[in-house]
Amino acid sequence: MGWGTVPGGSSEAAEQGNAAQQLQAFLTRHCVDCHGDTEPEEGVRLDLLRADSIALEGELWLRVLEQVATGNMPPPGESQPSRADAAAAVHAIHAALEKAGLAEELEFPDKGNHVPHSLLFDHPPENLPPPASPAR
């Protein structure tokens, strides 16, 4: 079940509210320690960023999306989200940015085919489907 999914087929507003709460919790767990009110890294404060106001803070949310989607944040040595939590956060931010009319900003042409090193070379998680092509 994704972040925006509420059991029992609740309304779209309830689903969006649930996704916003989950996204806010993600930021608190994985971002605010370094990007909070006390000496925020790179001057980026995420403690005041609200998941229910993505349209108002689109540029900053685009930066958050890029950093989480590419696996650059949180940095090594910091508490890491599970792949499922990171994917859910990316999906929630992406969906909210699209709804806010910022979809044209969602492509990362300067990133090419960036795949986090750990996904390429670490042991794959056990719940991945088999590859589409055989090993070479």
Side-chain angles (χ1 to χ4, degrees):
M1 186 179 307
W3 281 2
T5 308
V6 176
S10 296
S11 71
E12 184 178 335
E15 291 177 11
Q16 289 173 355
N18 184 47
Q21 288 175 344
Q22 294 283 346
L23 187 53
Q24 203 67 51
F26 180 90
L27 290 176
T28 300
R29 275 192 312 274
H30 300 290
C31 307
V32 172
D33 282 350
C34 296
H35 297 285
D37 63 343
T38 307
E39 298 181 30
E41 294 289 329
E42 302 297 321
V44 175
R45 282 190 68 178
L46 300 179
D47 60 318
L48 301 176
L49 195 58
R50 293 289 161 248
D52 57 358
S53 65
I54 286 181
L56 300 175
E57 299 282 348
E59 190 172 315
L60 184 52
W61 277 108
L62 285 164
R63 290 177 64 190
V64 171
L65 174 66
E66 179 180 359
Q67 294 300 311
V68 175
T70 59
N72 291 329
M73 289 289 159
E78 297 297 329
S79 172
Q80 297 295 312
S82 69
R83 289 182 181 159
D85 280 351
V90 167
H91 177 74
I93 296 168
H94 187 276
L97 287 167
E98 278 187 325
K99 186 170 182 159
L102 299 170
E104 67 277 0
E105 300 293 330
L106 294 176
E107 305 221 1
F108 308 130
D110 59 327
K111 300 299 180 228
N113 291 328
H114 179 86
V115 177
H117 187 271
S118 63
L119 287 177
L120 289 173
F121 300 107
D122 288 356
H123 297 290
E126 294 174 16
N127 60 348
L128 283 180
S133 62
R136 297 182 185 158

